[in-house]
Amino acid sequence: MTDRYAVIGNPISHSKSPLIHTLFAQQTGQDMSYEAIESPLDGFAATIQRLRDEGYLGCNVTVPFKFEAYKLCNRLGNRARDAKAVNTLVFRDGEILGTNTDGAGLLADIEKNLGIKLMWKDALLLGAGGAAAGVVWPLFNAGAGVDIANRTIEKAQLLADEFKGSGTVYARRYEELAGRKYDLVINATSSGLSGELPPLPDGLFKPGALAYDMMYGRETPFMAYARKQGAEIVSDGLGMLVEQAADAFYLWRNVRPDTQPVLDLLRK
Ligand code: NDP
């Protein structure tokens, strides 16, 4: 019988994950299916239960359910424990196992695909939701200093509090960003979904800076802002999406797909 997987989110119709996993499965000869399932906002746990009852082997979790997924897990990997957010679930032996592949996906895209080393770089992370939570520890571990700016400052503060005393991770209000400069600005807000731009000042980018929007599939207001402001490299989040998917695929199938041909095909 074909093994079944899915991605759960709300909204979900825009997701490229089904295509990516189908391409990985073809490339590695795996007999599996992968579909996008929209869960009601107040029905995530019930959706997961239904999938388990129907014999699915695992799923990805996206906006806005990553924190809820974390709470549902019986066992967590270190990356999920650090992030307190989960994007990959495995249903095995009656248990829900959770991990977070977002951080590894972002790092692989920045360091391997875009060729930018993070050690000693100053990074600004916009947002403090599930996606941001998944990447703070990996950015810190890669040697970057990280400022976290978020509309709701308390959420940014909660993320930064875990690094108290390290001297490298701070929460900042948007109004505090004027006059600061960064090697890397990562938009991990969902502002692009509504065609909005977080309230960013002029002059944020150091020479040679990278502007990275985790959204993909469209030119976002953040990407347009970054081009105008002179960021040297402006990237969407498609590479991160493919790399985090490859990590999830490896966990489920024990085979590591080659990401470059899939990324090339999606870029076309
Ligand atoms: P969440 O819903 O958990 O968090 C949303 C975040 O965006 C919050 O910090 C929220 O601020 C902020 N936000 C929303 N609208 C605005 C706005 N208009 N101005 C400023 N801030 C805003 O979502 P996720 O963290 O899970 O996902 C965020 C984005 O990252 C999504 O677009 C998602 O598609 C993308 N993503 C891409 C991935 C990839 O592989 N490329 C992987 C994961 C996510 P507040 O707290 O104040 O509400």
Side-chain angles (χ1 to χ4, degrees):
M1 200 175 95
T2 300
D3 294 336
R4 287 195 288 171
Y5 299 87
V7 58
I8 317 296
N10 186 332
I12 198 65
S13 57
H14 67 284
S15 177
K16 289 209 183 327
S17 292
L19 174 59
I20 293 169
H21 282 279
T22 301
L23 292 168
F24 285 166
Q26 282 168 2
Q27 186 196 90
T28 58
Q30 297 288 303
D31 183 11
M32 60 179 275
S33 67
Y34 186 107
E35 72 212 84
I37 296 176
E38 183 168 295
S39 166
L41 289 174
D42 61 353
F44 178 69
T47 304
I48 294 297
Q49 189 55 50
R50 175 173 74 77
L51 260 55
R52 296 172 72 198
D53 292 344
E54 290 178 7
Y56 285 73
L57 297 185
C59 67
N60 285 128
V61 179
T62 187
V63 191
F65 298 121
K66 288 179 188 181
F67 294 118
E68 221 176 320
Y70 169 79
K71 291 187 192 142
L72 276 187
C73 291
N74 303 103
R75 294 180 64 182
L76 292 163
N78 284 346
R79 298 187 221 161
R81 204 170 291 118
D82 288 341
K84 299 186 178 58
V86 158
N87 80 334
T88 303
L89 295 175
V90 177
F91 307 138
R92 187 186 295 160
D93 302 331
E95 289 194 311
I96 305 178
L97 319 180
T99 189
N100 194 315
T101 65
D102 281 340
L106 177 70
L107 256 56
D109 196 33
I110 293 178
E111 296 207 317
K112 182 176 70 134
N113 300 340
L114 298 171
I116 295 167
K117 293 282 161 282
L118 286 160
M119 181 66 89
W120 300 307
K121 295 281 165 62
D122 291 319
L124 171 63
L125 182 62
L126 308 174
V135 303
V136 185
W137 274 96
L139 287 169
F140 171 80
N141 286 334
V146 188
D147 281 358
I148 309 167
N150 194 44
R151 201 169 50 177
T152 312
I153 187 66
E154 294 77 14
K155 287 202 230 161
Q157 195 60 59
L158 270 181
L159 289 182
D161 280 351
E162 301 201 21
F163 301 86
K164 246 184 193 155
S166 73
T168 53
V169 180
Y170 296 96
R172 310 260 182 222
R173 293 176 193 280
Y174 279 111
E175 309 89 78
E176 284 176 59
L177 297 178
R180 296 187 183 277
K181 295 207 177 292
Y182 298 92
D183 302 293
L184 173 64
V185 181
I186 302 166
N187 184 19
T189 74
S190 51
S191 60
L193 283 175
S194 49
E196 290 173 321
L197 176 69
L200 298 172
D202 289 340
L204 268 188
F205 298 100
K206 286 189 191 176
L210 165 67
Y212 194 98
D213 200 320
M214 286 195 189
M215 268 208 67
Y216 54 87
R218 66 176 91 158
E219 173 85 0
T220 62
F222 171 75
M223 292 166 77
Y225 154 88
R227 287 185 213 287
K228 262 198 207 139
Q229 291 284 322
E232 184 158 318
I233 305 171
V234 178
S235 176
D236 68 4
L238 192 61
M240 173 180 175
L241 183 78
V242 173
E243 296 294 345
Q244 64 78 28
D247 253 33
F249 189 91
Y250 176 68
L251 277 168
W252 292 327
R253 310 301 301 179
N254 214 20
V255 187
R256 190 163 280 285
D258 184 1
T259 51
Q260 196 59 53
V262 173
L263 193 48
D264 291 345
L265 201 134
L266 290 172
R267 288 255 181 250
K268 275 188 204 154

